[in-house]
Amino acid sequence: MVNFINRFFPQAYSHADRGLPSRRQAVVALGGGGARGLAHLGAIEGVLRTGISIERIVGVSAGSLIGALYAVEGDIRRAESVAIGLLNSPEFQLGQQILCGAAPPTDDESTGGTFGWYSRIRKILSAHRKLTRAVTSSSLISDAPLRDAIAGLLPDCDISDLSVPTSIVAADLLSGQRVVLERGPLRLAVQASSAIPGIFPPVRWDDLLLCDIGMVETVPAMIAKSYADDLTIAVDVGQGDTRVDACDTALDVMMRMDDVCQRLMRRYYLDAADVVIRPNIGTRAWFDFSHPNQVIEEGRHAAIESLGQFERSNGRKIGAA
């Protein structure tokens, strides 16, 4: 069920050995970033508009969710419609209001449907008793948020059954290894890849204990490179280089170091990509799902611009080998 791929120094397959396709193909690496991951939808659409065929999606965290959504639907416009439909649902809108302080929070994380748990995370992250939970539990909140959101977007199917081959990347806390999932329950794999350490509980997968690997490998470009016959395209929706005014709590310090580690490690992993797409949404908070169409459009614009630059630098149309 599990395919361990510890390719810290992967080598691309030789074009001479395997033959160039008549139409350029790409393995697309989609990185983590919470709400900023909506830009992946636009980026995928931009890639497809150039005539490039996507032969595989490799996703981490939010990238695994959006990549799986596209792979399930097999059509990027349908995938966008499904995502926008969920974001416009009354349950999601209530959750956003609670999180941003525009509506009173509820006490039960299951209240309010799919995103009623927003009240719970807001309460826990601001209350003194979060310290007690931090030392007695594996996470600050339950897995209800991830399970409900993922179930709202993805069917209960196997990864290997998707219309577009998909690889979902996570970390195994027990062995300390990177894990790449290519078959097994899709929803559970996406949940594992999206389980932010300490915030959401890790996921049991056979004899593994999986969580989000985004702190050290926020864009899985090197893994994508190991699959690629032709192009490797990375989509980076990580936090931009921003300064903060304070880090007052232990949680603030941990989350800030997560941002710092991600930025430093991205420079290393992105070197594996032939094309790097960076939508202009780097300062958006991970929980800010407002104006989704704008975020998607930023992804689309960045993809077309980045691929255009790649085409000009190579002196040939990118849609053909």
Side-chain angles (χ1 to χ4, degrees):
M1 183 176 288
V2 176
N3 178 22
F4 280 86
I5 305 180
N6 298 308
R7 295 183 174 117
F8 290 95
F9 302 98
Q11 298 295 321
Y13 293 113
S14 166
H15 289 192
D17 292 340
R18 305 202 56 178
L20 277 169
S22 58
R23 180 186 182 190
R24 300 213 76 165
Q25 295 183 317
V27 176
V28 179
L30 303 178
R36 297 189 296 273
L38 288 170
H40 288 315
L41 290 167
I44 291 171
E45 184 179 349
V47 169
L48 294 172
R49 279 188 183 185
T50 66
I52 294 173
S53 174
I54 296 178
E55 60 175 316
R56 178 174 290 272
I57 295 287
V58 182
V60 162
S61 196
S64 73
L65 176 58
I66 297 300
L69 176 60
Y70 164 64
V72 163
E73 296 297 332
D75 181 282
I76 189 58
R77 299 311 294 268
R78 281 204 304 269
E80 291 174 7
S81 178
V82 170
I84 295 298
L86 178 63
L87 297 180
N88 287 335
S89 67
E91 293 87 358
F92 190 91
Q93 292 298 315
L94 175 61
Q96 282 286 283
Q97 293 174 19
I98 291 172
L99 186 63
C100 298
T106 59
D107 291 328
D108 185 351
E109 67 186 46
S110 65
T111 300
T114 301
F115 287 93
W117 59 273
Y118 272 120
S119 61
R120 182 66 172 158
I121 188 172
R122 186 165 177 253
K123 186 174 182 179
I124 289 176
L125 294 182
S126 62
H128 289 298
R129 59 186 168 186
K130 68 188 177 209
L131 179 60
T132 301
R133 186 174 178 98
V135 298
T136 60
S137 177
S138 63
S139 65
L140 290 177
I141 62 176
S142 79
D143 60 3
L146 287 178
R147 286 190 289 103
D148 291 347
I150 291 167
L153 291 174
L154 303 178
D156 186 13
C157 66
D158 195 280
I159 303 169
S160 61
D161 293 333
L162 299 179
S163 61
V164 179
T166 300
S167 301
I168 295 173
V169 188
D172 176 26
L173 292 172
L174 302 182
S175 68
Q177 299 294 319
R178 174 211 283 147
V179 174
V180 178
L181 305 172
E182 295 177 339
R183 59 184 66 249
L186 175 63
R187 288 177 177 174
L188 192 64
V190 170
Q191 180 184 336
S193 184
S194 304
I196 303 171
I199 303 299
F200 297 117
V203 172
R204 284 284 179 185
W205 185 290
D206 294 341
D207 58 347
L208 311 177
L209 190 62
L210 304 181
C211 70
D212 186 354
I213 198 174
M215 178 181 290
V216 293
E217 194 166 3
T218 187
V219 185
M222 293 184 72
I223 299 173
K225 186 74 170 180
S226 71
Y227 288 106
D229 289 325
D230 188 10
L231 294 174
T232 301
I233 298 174
V235 186
D236 177 13
V237 296
Q239 186 75 27
D241 293 332
T242 56
R243 177 181 174 83
V244 298
D245 295 327
C247 283
D248 296 327
T249 68
L251 185 61
D252 290 337
V253 173
M254 288 189 293
M255 296 304 289
R256 180 56 175 168
M257 279 307 302
D258 180 84
D259 290 339
V260 171
C261 288
Q262 286 190 30
R263 288 201 303 272
L264 293 175
M265 296 304 294
R266 279 204 306 269
R267 301 170 188 173
Y268 170 68
Y269 286 109
L270 289 174
D271 284 343
D274 299 300
V275 180
V276 177
I277 298 170
R278 289 190 179 92
N280 185 27
I281 38 84
T283 59
R284 180 179 288 262
W286 67 270
F287 56 81
D288 182 6
F289 287 90
S290 63
H291 309 294
N293 287 309
Q294 177 183 334
V295 179
I296 293 172
E297 177 56 34
E298 288 290 351
R300 188 182 299 116
H301 173 76
I304 293 172
E305 183 175 287
S306 297
L307 291 167
Q309 292 175 352
F310 179 79
E311 180 180 281
R312 290 189 292 273
S313 68
N314 282 268
R316 64 183 183 186
K317 286 288 184 181
I318 197 171

